[in-house]
Amino acid sequence: MSLSAVLLAAGPTPSPSPSGSTPAVPSLQDAQESATNAAGWVEENWSTWLAIGLRVLLILVIAAVLRVAVRRAITKLIDRMNRTVSAVDGTALSGLLVNTERRRQRSQAIGSVLRSVASFLIMGTAALMVLGTFEINLAPLLASAGVAGVAIGFGARNLVTDFLSGVFMILEDQYGVGDSIDAGVASGEVIEVGLRVTKLRGDNGEIWYVRNGEVKRIGNLSQGWSTAGVDVTVRPSEDLERVKAVLADVGERMSKEEPWNELLWGPIETLGLDSVLLDSMVVRVTAKTMPGKALTVERELRWRIKRAFDAADIQIVGGPPLPTGETAPADPTAGMAAPSAYANTASPQAQAATPLPPPNVTK
């Protein structure tokens, strides 16, 4: 019942006298009638008020309990995921998986998104039910919200695309903090992962801000393992069995030394000839390494192969061999400039450059 109905039920409003003077004071009987009408109105509607209040209270209590229960269930699920990762860590399988810290960050991000979505759905539904309890027509409100949602969706479609791409990227574990990735538009080490933007550190120290919706492909160089490959170019006259034995010895020595025994996840293998040309042949050497350590292993492997080939007198093709005999004496006139045409006074150049004599002046 509205406020005007309450005022009408309380009693008639005194009207001013026709002469415009001060209205008359209501009598005791009018006051008793007004009090009786107000008490009757309260007695008739108190049950409705109580029912509405209890219904609203029940909706809020159920929504709060359901929200706490859902958030606690999501938290327990995330903790169970972390315990599973901790149990796998330290085993042989853990080397092929992502590290524990990265999985912990990923599970926390997923848990935060799930908790936020659950809270929004539960509290939004409870708010609509409370409005319906007060007999408010929700059709215009829902229609307006739908139109506003469509307008926002068209206006901020790039933002929605970035957000959805970030959610699926986290759920699918495409990359994480510390990974070296090639995102097409930029490449480098991931230093921050967000639902809208991914932050990368480039090779030269620059920071790239890449929108998740703009990434069409991802090349992750830090998952699983990496492959280090070195091409050794030697002369075609070298003994291949001798070259292979030297390379095998280099690989065996390197596999037993620290810290290379931890970075290498497999033996250093000589695959054989990669190409044979008239003046050279290429031998391919590969090794399976820890993710992101292929370049470090390649540099050390080249260093050791060069030293081993020098000790074994195996020449790496890179240019013509230096002459071993005596060199011819240098030409003493090689550094002298050619004679100038102006040195000869009879030459046409010298005649053209001679200044003209002054004309005879007659008195």
Side-chain angles (χ1 to χ4, degrees):
M1 188 174 293
S2 62
L3 181 60
S4 60
V6 176
L7 295 176
L8 289 176
T13 305
S15 58
S17 60
S19 61
S21 60
T22 304
V25 178
S27 62
L28 180 60
Q29 185 178 358
D30 295 337
Q32 288 180 349
E33 291 179 0
S34 299
T36 302
N37 293 336
W41 180 81
V42 172
E43 184 178 0
E44 291 177 0
N45 294 278
W46 74 270
S47 59
T48 304
W49 294 350
L50 181 61
I52 293 176
L54 291 177
R55 190 178 301 174
V56 172
L57 181 61
L58 182 61
I59 292 174
L60 294 179
V61 170
I62 293 176
V65 172
L66 184 60
R67 178 175 177 270
V68 172
V70 172
R71 290 174 65 90
R72 185 171 298 178
I74 294 174
T75 302
K76 287 184 178 181
L77 177 62
I78 298 303
D79 292 341
R80 182 176 298 177
M81 293 173 57
N82 291 334
R83 286 197 300 268
T84 304
V85 173
S86 300
V88 174
D89 189 36
T91 62
L93 184 62
S94 64
L96 303 179
L97 300 177
V98 200
N99 54 49
T100 307
E101 179 63 21
R102 171 180 167 185
R103 283 186 172 266
R104 185 187 64 81
Q105 294 178 358
R106 172 174 170 261
S107 61
Q108 287 182 353
I110 295 175
S112 177
V113 172
L114 293 179
R115 284 190 290 266
S116 300
V117 171
S119 299
F120 176 77
L121 292 178
I122 294 173
M123 301 310 295
T125 305
L128 294 178
M129 294 177 66
V130 169
L131 294 178
T133 303
F134 287 101
E135 298 181 357
I136 298 177
N137 189 9
L138 299 178
L141 179 63
L142 295 178
S144 301
V147 173
V150 172
I152 293 174
F154 277 107
R157 57 184 181 273
N158 292 332
L159 181 62
V160 175
T161 302
D162 297 340
F163 180 81
L164 293 179
S165 300
V167 170
F168 282 106
M169 179 270 299
I170 293 177
L171 291 177
E172 296 173 0
D173 193 19
Q174 297 178 5
Y175 54 85
V177 176
D179 288 353
S180 296
I181 66 171
D182 181 4
V185 294
S187 61
E189 181 181 355
V190 180
I191 60 178
E192 185 178 340
V193 177
L195 293 178
R196 192 183 69 88
V197 174
T198 297
K199 188 185 297 184
L200 304 178
R201 174 77 69 178
D203 296 335
N204 297 326
E206 68 275 11
I207 295 180
W208 298 97
Y209 294 89
V210 181
R211 289 171 43 196
N212 295 329
E214 295 294 329
V215 178
K216 304 301 180 183
R217 62 172 180 84
I218 289 292
N220 197 325
L221 307 178
S222 301
Q223 287 185 357
W225 62 81
S226 299
T227 302
V230 176
D231 293 332
V232 183
T233 306
V234 296
R235 295 176 298 182
S237 59
E238 295 289 346
D239 187 2
L240 289 178
E241 296 298 331
R242 184 162 171 261
V243 171
K244 185 176 181 180
V246 173
L247 293 176
D249 182 66
V250 171
E252 184 178 359
R253 290 172 178 268
M254 185 174 175
S255 301
K256 295 180 180 180
E257 298 180 4
E258 294 182 357
W260 312 110
N261 54 356
E262 297 180 359
L263 300 182
L264 291 170
W265 284 10
I268 299 177
E269 300 178 350
T270 303
L271 300 182
L273 287 177
D274 193 62
S275 64
V276 178
L277 303 176
L278 294 177
D279 56 348
S280 64
M281 56 183 178
V282 179
V283 182
R284 182 73 173 176
V285 181
T286 63
K288 188 178 295 184
T289 69
M290 183 183 295
K293 300 298 181 181
L295 186 59
T296 304
V297 173
E298 289 177 359
R299 290 170 177 170
E300 180 66 18
L301 192 57
R302 291 189 186 96
W303 180 278
R304 292 172 179 261
I305 289 175
K306 179 61 171 65
R307 294 180 59 183
F309 276 17
D310 290 343
D313 197 17
I314 299 177
Q315 183 179 354
I316 297 178
V317 176
L322 296 176
T324 56
E326 295 182 358
T327 58
D331 187 4
T333 61
M336 297 176 60
S340 175
Y342 296 98
N344 186 8
T345 56
S347 63
Q349 292 83 358
Q351 292 292 334
T354 303
L356 296 176
N360 297 327
V361 179
T362 58
K363 296 181 180 180

